[in-house]
Amino acid sequence: MLVFWVFLLIGAAALGVGAVREHAQLEAATRAYLTELHISLGLTAALLLVAQILIGVTLYLMVESGGPRNARRMIGFWLRQSIYLAFVAAAVAGALAAISRGEQIFFWEYPLPFWDTGAPQAAEHAQLAHIIAAYAFGALAVLYAAFALFDRLSPASDKALEPPAPASIAAMIADGLAQSFRFFGATAFWVQLFLGVVSALLLAFAFAGHSVSPGGSNFGEAIYWASAALAIMLLSILFGYRDMNAAAAIRSRPERYLAHERRMAFWFVGAGGFVNVVGALLSFIGVGLSVALLIGKTVSQPPGIAITDPSKIIRALDVFVLLVNFSLLFAHCIGVGVAAWLSISALKARHQYVVAREMARAQEEKSAAVVAAQSVAEPAG
């Protein structure tokens, strides 16, 4: 579900940029910039949609059954399919409109193959279909977010709270999960804190050089993407600290975290993973822009000729920004990995807790049946 929410967020960002481009009074250069940003965000969301489909197919093949199909699960399932369908319709219609107009499509400043059909009338119809499908996607996304929030705040439950598992087994399960949270939470916290301090120092030097000799690209400079990724990593560090401190609470009150009814017990793990995914995307864009800038300057330097244009010289701040984006990308990837591992560990621990609880209940029923049989047999004897 994490990939789905990132897809939904980037798709909403593409929709917002497209709406501003369509309805605001803008200069030609700003409109062209927003057009390229809109297309790049849309293609990024399309790649995440493909990843979501592949993950869904893999989980379907690995897991035989996804549990009972209650009404809420069916509503959520069909809302997601409607979102996918609206997004695909918007993407296809937008691509057809660009092809009909003969426009070059760029993906984060990289040109993609295109065909010029020279059909302006078809371009108008395709653009209209693109707008309608895009707004349908936005409406469905808002509806699904409201439904998911309602489902989280008011979970469906048709049975009373289950009795807890035996204390010894619950303590053993909670101890293993607490060790994972303690170790991996501390790893993410300290690694991200160290890389954050180093990145902040390098970014300070880069900003000092940038104020002296600025330079940019169409989507803004990589130094600003690095700044955004660093700001997001500050939030990720807080989530890592929360993971580390959750170990004591899991040991002291295992039923609060492991019981089936506690659906929001590990909300901070998913939230931290989502934050790190967003930070990884921002830093990845920064790395791409930095590498493209360095390659462009290297290729533009003729051998054996002195360079008089300062914008074609590889500066120290260019290297600093590249190092910052690389370190932030590495730190956010660690955060994503830790969140995924802790989510899997929590699911496994909750499954073990439920199994232990069911076994204890079966044992109690068996003991009650034996006692009842003995009480019936005693008068007969």
Side-chain angles (χ1 to χ4, degrees):
M1 288 298 292
L2 180 60
V3 177
F4 171 77
W5 284 108
V6 176
F7 154 75
L8 209 61
L9 179 64
I10 296 180
L15 176 62
V17 172
V20 172
R21 172 196 171 278
E22 190 71 22
H23 301 290
Q25 298 293 332
L26 303 171
E27 298 180 355
T30 305
R31 186 175 296 276
Y33 164 78
L34 291 180
T35 300
E36 293 186 17
L37 182 59
H38 171 70
I39 294 173
S40 299
L41 288 172
L43 291 176
T44 303
L47 293 176
L48 289 173
L49 175 58
V50 173
Q52 173 68 19
I53 293 174
L54 293 177
I55 292 174
V57 171
T58 303
L59 292 178
Y60 178 79
L61 294 176
M62 293 177 60
V63 182
E64 186 173 338
S65 175
R69 291 281 183 176
N70 55 35
R72 290 196 183 185
R73 288 194 63 185
M74 292 300 295
I75 292 173
F77 173 79
W78 286 112
L79 277 177
R80 288 193 298 273
Q81 307 315 306
S82 301
I83 289 173
Y84 296 154
L85 183 61
F87 179 83
V88 170
V92 172
L96 290 177
I99 292 173
S100 300
R101 290 192 296 263
E103 294 180 353
Q104 174 71 63
I105 298 177
F106 291 87
F107 180 58
W108 299 118
E109 296 189 324
Y110 292 98
L112 299 179
F114 75 104
W115 300 267
D116 185 2
T117 60
Q121 187 175 3
E124 293 180 2
H125 294 298
Q127 183 65 23
L128 179 61
H130 173 70
I131 294 174
I132 294 174
Y135 282 116
F137 167 80
L140 289 169
V142 172
L143 182 61
Y144 183 83
F147 171 77
L149 181 62
F150 170 76
D151 187 55
R152 287 294 184 182
L153 296 179
S154 178
S157 178
D158 53 356
K159 56 183 179 180
L161 295 178
E162 299 287 348
S168 59
I169 299 178
M172 183 173 59
I173 297 172
D175 184 68
L177 182 61
Q179 289 181 7
S180 296
F181 269 80
R182 187 72 179 177
F183 176 76
F184 289 103
T187 300
F189 174 77
W190 289 111
V191 171
Q192 289 190 335
L193 182 62
F194 173 75
L195 292 178
V197 172
V198 174
S199 299
L201 293 176
L202 291 176
L203 204 58
F205 285 113
F207 266 111
H210 177 268
S211 62
V212 177
S213 55
S217 60
N218 291 340
F219 287 111
E221 299 183 29
I223 190 172
Y224 298 121
W225 293 94
S227 302
L230 181 61
I232 289 180
M233 199 173 74
L234 297 177
L235 185 60
S236 174
I237 291 173
L238 296 179
F239 279 111
Y241 184 77
R242 177 69 176 86
D243 294 338
M244 184 172 55
N245 284 348
I250 294 173
R251 280 196 180 97
S252 61
R253 291 176 292 179
E255 68 282 351
R256 179 180 179 182
Y257 290 90
L258 301 179
H260 176 70
E261 298 80 14
R262 302 289 183 174
R263 300 179 61 182
M264 294 290 291
F266 295 101
W267 66 270
F268 51 90
V269 178
F274 178 78
V275 167
N276 279 288
V277 167
V278 175
L281 289 175
L282 294 178
S283 54
F284 180 77
I285 295 172
V287 168
L289 292 175
S290 296
V291 172
L293 178 64
L294 292 177
I295 292 176
K297 288 186 175 183
T298 303
V299 173
S300 64
Q301 294 178 2
I305 299 177
I307 302 174
T308 58
D309 188 356
S311 64
K312 295 182 180 180
I313 300 175
I314 297 179
R315 302 164 296 177
L317 72 90
D318 298 328
V319 180
F320 285 161
V321 173
L322 178 60
L323 291 176
V324 169
N325 280 300
F326 263 124
S327 62
L328 291 175
L329 178 61
F330 178 69
H332 282 299
C333 286
I334 289 178
V336 172
V338 167
W341 180 260
L342 291 180
S343 298
I344 294 173
S345 301
L347 288 175
K348 182 179 178 181
R350 295 183 73 176
H351 174 72
Q352 293 173 345
Y353 184 85
V354 172
V355 170
R357 187 172 59 187
E358 294 298 328
M359 291 179 63
R361 178 193 298 173
Q363 186 65 32
E364 290 179 359
E365 292 178 353
K366 183 178 179 181
S367 301
V370 171
V371 171
Q374 290 178 351
S375 63
V376 171
E378 284 178 358

